[in-house]
């Protein structure tokens, strides 16, 4: 990025953002940082040992367990490997990178990005955001794919690829809960909500489609508003092309790919598109009911099929050795993620095992309900609580399993629906995903931006995603206020925020 003119007067907000970037980039290597977080969680658990809260779902007392003792350290050692291997993004990233390795090495990804980069500038940002928001149908696969693709797209369009990644990151992660079609997230959250509702209404159920209308509107409005904010206020500052990108690692990787004639490339792209149509068409015809359930392996096979269709056509993949080498290249590109994921996984598990997460969430919810906060202020307060908890506990389903037995019962007694409680949770669960260093895929995104700028750090990401997080938050709160005041139904069945 070009250096800012020293004579240009910076606003107060510019100073804040600049300070975040400088401070963030002065943080230690991410591996060291997350080892420190891991150790901090263990020490904090010992300091807070004995602090308790009553779980409103079971009536049982939840107590913070100290881990800086013989039993706690034995648990750390006993579960260290298991925590790492069961870290949910780990398998997702490895499987997806096998497939993406084929699309990248074959040259398909690069050529496809060049074609997409030809869209008018005013549509580029909206395209990235919209695809990112709708990409959550692929669950964690979208978090692994969309930001990296957005960086490639911006690079091909001669715009700052780091900012492109941050926009893709915002779409797929801060817009995680929205979509135009129902996803696995809707099913999982509704199941937890039903269980929580039955604590106070044994016959009550929550439909997976209960928030469908609100989420359709969210997808379109969030993408449109965020696009306007980015194009109007952020692109000039963060989107400028820097000549240093012409000699970065990503540029060298692109230079190693053979230059092909346009006719050959177009034929390859047509064959890749044909493979795409045949592949997804066959899935919808024969195994439609399990596509969402097994989306990650289906996505891997799709990238392999499309990459092979292109690579064989343009002869960048000539034999099985080239094919295997392409998959190996995909895995090589995520080696830094594999290293950093080790302390991240163990820090998150230590936070949960110590019960700090449970006690903090219960205390925060009790603070809200105990002061008689009702109406729109109550809904906004719950969004803020969820957003705060989300900074430390990023697993959507696990967090809702923790908060639903608190949120839904007390909102039910105040006259609010479980469906409304779930919408409030989904907003808070999304907006701060892009500003927490505990976000599971942050290590992978950091590895990607370092292909463009070897000196980039967490601050390079968070200084750009903080304004986006605020944009998503404000837009969603305004949309929620409109929905609440007008009494619009949240989904099929006519249920709104109130009973």
């Amino acid at each position: 990025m070009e250096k800012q003119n020293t004579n240009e007067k910076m606003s107060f907000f510019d100073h804040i953002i600049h300070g975040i970037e400088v401070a963030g980039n002065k943080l230690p290597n991410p591996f060291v940082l997350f080892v420190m977080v891991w150790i901090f969680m263990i020490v904090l658990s010992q300091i807070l040992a004995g602090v308790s809260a009553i779980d409103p779902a079971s009536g049982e007392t939840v107590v913070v367990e100290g881990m800086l003792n013989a039993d706690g350290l034995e648990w750390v050692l006993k579960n260290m490997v298991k925590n790492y291997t069961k870290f949910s993004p780990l398998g997702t990233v490895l499987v997806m990178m096998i497939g993406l390795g084929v699309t990248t090495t074959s040259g398909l990804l690069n050529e496809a990005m060049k074609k997409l980069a030809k869209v008018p500038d005013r549509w580029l940002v909206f395209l990235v955001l919209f695809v990112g928001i709708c990409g959550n149908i692929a669950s964690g696969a979208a978090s692994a794919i969309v930001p990296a693709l957005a960086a490639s797209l911006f690079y091909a369009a001669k715009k700052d690829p780091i900012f492109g990644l941050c926009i893709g990151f915002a779409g797929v992660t801060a817009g995680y809960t929205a979509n135009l079609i129902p996803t696995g997230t809707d099913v999982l959250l509704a199941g937890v909500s039903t269980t929580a509702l039955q604590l106070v209404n044994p016959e009550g159920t929550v439909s997976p489609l209960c928030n469908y209308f609100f989420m359709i509107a969210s997808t379109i409005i969030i993408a449109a508003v965020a696009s306007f904010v980015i194009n109007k206020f952020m692109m000039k500052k963060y989107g400028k092309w820097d000549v240093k990108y012409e000699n970065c690692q990503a540029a060298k990787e692109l230079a190693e790919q053979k230059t092909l004639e346009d006719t050959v490339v177009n034929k390859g792209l047509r064959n890749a598109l044909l493979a795409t149509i045949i592949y997804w068409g066959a899935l919808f015809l024969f195994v439609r009911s399990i596509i969402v359930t097994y989306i990650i392996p289906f996505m891997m096979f799709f990238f392999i099929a499309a990459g092979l269709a292109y690579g064989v056509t343009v002869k960048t993949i000539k034999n099985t050795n080239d094919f295997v080498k392409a998959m190996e290249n995909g895995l090589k590109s995520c080696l830094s993620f594999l290293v950093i994921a080790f302390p991240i996984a163990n820090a998150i598990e230590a936070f949960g095992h110590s019960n700090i997460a449970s006690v903090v969430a219960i205390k925060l919810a009790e603070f809200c309900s105990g002061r008689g906060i009702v109406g729109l202020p109550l809904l906004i307060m719950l969004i803020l609580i969820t957003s705060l908890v989300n900074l430390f506990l990023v697993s959507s389903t696990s967090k809702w399993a923790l908060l639903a037995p608190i949120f839904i019962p007390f909102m039910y007694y105040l006259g609010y629906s479980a469906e409304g409680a779930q919408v409030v949770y989904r907003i808070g669960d999304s907006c701060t995903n892009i500003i927490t260093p505990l976000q599971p895929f942050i290590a992978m995104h950091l590895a990607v931006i370092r292909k463009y700028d070897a000196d980039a750090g967490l601050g390079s990401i968070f200084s750009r995603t903080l304004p986006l997080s605020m944009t998503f938050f404000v837009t969603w709160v305004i949309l929620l206020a409109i929905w609440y005041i007008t009494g619009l139904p949240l989904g099929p069945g006519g249920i709104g925020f109130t009973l």
Side-chain angles (χ1 to χ4, degrees):
M1 182 179 294
E2 295 178 353
K3 293 183 179 180
Q4 189 169 4
N5 190 329
T6 54
N7 295 323
E8 182 180 346
K9 187 175 181 180
M10 295 176 67
S11 68
F12 176 71
F13 187 72
D14 285 336
H15 280 292
I16 294 177
I17 296 300
H18 179 69
I20 291 172
E21 180 166 16
V22 171
N25 287 339
K26 287 185 177 180
L27 290 172
N29 180 281
F31 177 83
V32 176
L33 175 65
F34 287 112
V35 168
M36 293 169 62
V37 171
W38 184 9
I39 294 173
F40 174 75
M41 291 298 180
I42 294 174
V43 174
L44 181 63
S45 71
Q46 195 64 41
I47 294 173
L48 298 178
V51 176
S52 64
I54 304 298
D55 184 340
S58 63
E60 297 179 353
T61 301
V62 181
V63 183
V64 174
E65 296 183 11
M67 298 180 65
L68 195 59
N69 51 54
D71 290 340
L73 294 178
E74 181 181 1
W75 180 90
V76 170
L77 294 172
K78 179 181 178 181
N79 293 278
M80 191 177 292
V81 175
K82 184 173 69 175
N83 292 341
Y84 180 52
T85 55
K86 76 174 186 179
F87 187 46
S88 57
L90 193 64
T92 298
V93 169
L94 292 176
V95 171
M96 293 307 303
M97 293 312 296
I98 288 175
L100 278 171
V102 179
T103 61
T104 302
T105 304
S106 68
L108 171 60
L109 184 60
N110 182 45
E111 295 299 335
M113 290 300 103
K114 287 180 180 178
K115 296 292 184 183
L116 288 174
K118 294 179 180 179
V119 301
D121 284 352
R122 65 180 182 275
W123 290 107
L124 179 62
V125 173
F126 180 83
L127 174 67
V128 171
L129 285 168
F130 187 77
V131 170
I133 293 172
C134 293
N136 70 62
I137 190 174
S139 188
S143 298
I145 298 168
V146 173
L149 290 182
S152 298
L153 180 57
F154 268 56
Y155 186 88
K158 290 292 183 179
K159 298 184 183 298
D160 191 289
I162 296 177
F163 190 42
L165 179 139
C166 291
I167 295 173
F169 181 30
V172 76
T173 311
Y176 174 77
T177 195
N179 213 314
L180 294 180
I181 60 177
T183 68
T185 301
D186 296 283
V187 176
L188 290 171
L189 294 181
V192 175
S193 297
T194 295
T195 301
L197 177 60
Q198 290 177 349
L199 294 173
V200 289
N201 180 6
E203 304 300 321
T205 59
V206 178
S207 167
L209 298 178
C210 67
N211 301 150
Y212 187 43
F213 295 162
F214 185 84
M215 291 307 155
I216 290 177
S218 296
T219 301
I220 299 170
I221 293 173
I222 290 289
V225 173
S227 296
F228 172 78
V229 171
I230 291 169
N231 286 320
K232 184 73 174 177
F233 304 106
M234 298 182 68
M235 187 62 77
K236 184 178 179 180
K237 180 178 179 64
Y238 295 113
K240 292 181 180 178
W241 176 260
D242 194 312
V243 292
K244 68 183 178 183
Y245 294 135
E246 296 176 3
N247 298 305
C248 64
Q249 181 185 342
K252 294 175 182 177
E253 292 177 358
L254 289 174
E256 292 174 359
Q257 298 178 6
K258 296 180 180 179
T259 302
L260 302 170
E261 296 181 3
D262 287 344
T263 54
V264 177
V265 169
N266 290 335
K267 184 178 180 181
L269 291 174
R270 282 196 299 270
N271 287 344
L273 178 60
L274 181 61
T276 299
I277 295 172
I278 293 174
Y279 178 83
W280 289 108
L283 289 182
F284 274 100
L285 281 175
F286 301 111
V287 291
R288 182 185 309 171
S289 62
I290 63 171
I291 290 178
V292 173
T293 304
Y294 303 111
I295 189 64
I296 292 174
F298 282 140
M299 289 293 291
M300 180 194 71
F301 289 129
F302 160 63
F303 284 123
I304 290 175
L308 282 176
Y310 179 85
V312 171
T313 301
V314 303
K315 302 191 184 312
T316 52
I317 296 179
K318 300 176 182 177
N319 50 51
T320 55
N321 288 335
D322 290 341
F323 172 51
V324 174
K325 186 70 175 177
M327 292 188 288
E328 292 175 354
N329 289 339
L331 292 178
K332 287 178 182 178
S333 68
C334 62
L335 288 179
S336 62
F337 168 76
L338 297 181
V339 174
I340 299 172
F342 180 73
I344 293 178
N346 279 283
I348 292 173
E349 289 298 325
F351 190 57
H353 177 76
S354 65
N355 288 330
I356 295 177
S358 300
V359 172
V360 168
I362 293 171
K363 292 289 187 182
L364 286 173
E366 288 177 346
F367 173 83
C368 178
S369 61
R371 282 160 177 75
I373 303 173
V374 296
L376 198 55
L378 169 66
L379 303 183
I380 295 175
M381 179 69 75
L382 293 180
I383 292 174
L384 290 170
I385 290 175
T386 304
S387 297
L388 179 62
V389 174
N390 190 48
L391 293 173
F392 306 99
L393 185 61
V394 294
S395 172
S396 178
T397 306
S398 298
K399 187 162 59 264
W400 187 226
L402 182 70
L403 294 178
I406 304 166
F407 282 10
I408 289 179
F410 90 74
M411 287 189 70
Y412 179 85
Y413 287 123
L414 290 174
Y416 299 98
S417 67
E419 292 79 1
Q422 184 173 288
V423 159
V424 166
Y425 167 77
R426 294 176 76 160
I427 294 174
D429 179 48
S430 298
C431 296
T432 52
N433 275 332
I434 52 175
I435 57 173
T436 172
L438 293 179
Q439 216 288 325
F441 288 93
I442 196 68
M444 182 179 181
H445 302 331
L446 186 59
V448 172
I449 66 172
R450 283 182 171 169
K451 288 186 177 183
Y452 300 99
D453 183 353
D455 297 325
L458 292 174
S460 302
I461 296 177
F462 294 142
S463 64
R464 291 159 175 79
T465 56
L466 178 59
L468 296 176
S469 176
M470 295 169 63
T471 299
F472 275 60
F473 182 88
V474 172
T475 304
W476 241 324
V477 167
I478 293 174
L479 181 61
L480 177 140
I482 293 172
W483 225 272
Y484 177 79
I485 293 170
T486 59
L488 291 171
L490 295 168
I495 298 176
F497 283 100
T498 57
L499 294 173

